[in-house]
Structures are given as structure tokens and as C-alpha cells.
Amino acid sequence: MQHIQQMIDQHGGFEAVRTRYLRLENPPFMRLVIEVIGGPYPNGAYEISIAHYSEQNGDAMRDPEITFLVVPAEQGTTWTPLTFENSYLGCYQVVASVTPAGLIEARDPALMRDLRDFANQWDLNLKQQGFMEVFVRQYGDQIGATTEGTVTRQGDGPQGS
């Protein structure tokens, strides 16, 4: 998830994304949302949700959403998948859980490997689909900002909805 990590870093890091989640509009693709949903844990790890959203009958639909435990380290950040959801298929899978210390407890190691492979391909697809450029266009004036005064709200700017 190197491209997602790059966006998080440029946005000010995990704490910045915790207070100012990323919502990327890139038609004709579904909206991409990146948010911190847990942590920090004692080991510095965070739980992150990456999801494509659309709507069906007024309900938010994920296609897909993958949650990860992200552990920063000197030799590189580790992204470990925890859950997978595809609302259209009625699919929700838990491949691992997190201990209070921020450690992984694998429930289905084979599915976790498959999901890690899927996530790596998804990350490449997001770059090829132009989400990195959309990030710069939507958040470029805030890259690295860490104050609450820079929160992006729906409807702000030229691409607001």
C-alpha cells in the first residue's frame, strides 16, 4: 500500500488523517476514502480503513473496504490486512484481529496472504486510475498541514459536491 502510505504521509501522517480523513472523488471511479479507525497502539500501530464507496437505495456501499493494522518501523511500514468487505456481495471476512498491545492475531493466514496480494494490486490500480493526482489536486494546499483549521469539508473548493 505504498501509494496510500504516500498520501497519508503527505497529508501529515496518521494523526492528521485521524482528524482529517481523505475523501477522493475521481469519476468515473467510486469515491475513495482513507481513514484512521483505531490506535495508536503502544507499538505505534494504527488501524486504517481504505474503501471505495457508492450508494444503493440511500445506503453507503463498500466495494471493497479493507482494514489494516499499519505498524511504522525504521525499515518500512508494515500493512497487515484485518478485514475485507464487499457490500454488494454481502461479504465480510475477518482474517486477523489486533491485541490491546497492537499485535496481530491471525485467524486465517491463507486468506490473509490472498488479501495482502489483492491489496498490493489494488494499490497499483489506484495509482494507474489517477487517485494520486486527485489527491494532489484536492489536498495540495493542505499537504503536511496539521491544524484543525485546514479540515476539508464537503462542498469546499472547485470539486466540492
Side-chain angles (χ1 to χ4, degrees):
M1 300 301 288
Q2 74 180 40
H3 299 104
I4 297 293
Q5 181 70 55
Q6 187 178 359
M7 285 188 261
I8 289 170
D9 290 344
Q10 290 178 5
H11 194 60
F14 295 109
E15 283 299 317
V17 173
R18 176 202 296 280
T19 59
R20 297 182 329 271
Y21 70 93
L22 298 170
R23 176 186 168 132
L24 304 172
E25 303 287 347
N26 187 19
F29 304 106
M30 288 188 285
R31 170 176 68 246
L32 180 69
V33 176
I34 302 166
E35 56 190 328
V36 172
I37 59 172
Y41 289 93
N43 63 352
Y46 287 87
E47 286 181 65
I48 307 295
S49 166
I50 312 297
H52 274 301
Y53 283 97
S54 62
E55 288 188 13
Q56 181 177 327
N57 298 324
D59 294 326
M61 304 292 282
R62 297 164 179 91
D63 184 15
E65 176 189 40
I66 303 176
T67 63
F68 297 88
L69 183 71
V70 182
V71 182
E74 286 183 26
Q75 59 272 42
T77 304
T78 303
W79 288 69
T80 304
L82 301 172
T83 66
F84 173 87
E85 179 174 349
N86 184 317
S87 303
Y88 291 100
L89 299 177
C91 176
Y92 181 77
Q93 299 168 311
V94 177
V95 299
S97 57
V98 182
T99 70
L103 303 174
I104 294 288
E105 290 183 343
R107 294 187 181 177
D108 189 335
L111 188 54
M112 184 188 294
R113 281 188 300 277
D114 290 347
L115 195 49
R116 183 175 282 129
D117 291 342
F118 174 83
N120 288 333
Q121 184 61 54
W122 187 23
D123 187 57
L124 293 172
N125 292 349
L126 292 172
K127 179 170 177 26
Q128 291 173 346
Q129 293 166 350
F131 280 94
M132 296 296 291
E133 290 83 1
V134 169
F135 167 76
V136 170
R137 206 166 44 245
Q138 285 185 221
Y139 294 95
D141 62 336
Q142 299 171 31
I143 290 178
T146 58
T147 63
E148 218 173 291
T150 60
V151 173
T152 300
R153 288 174 175 59
Q154 227 177 332
D156 287 353
Q159 290 193 338
S161 48

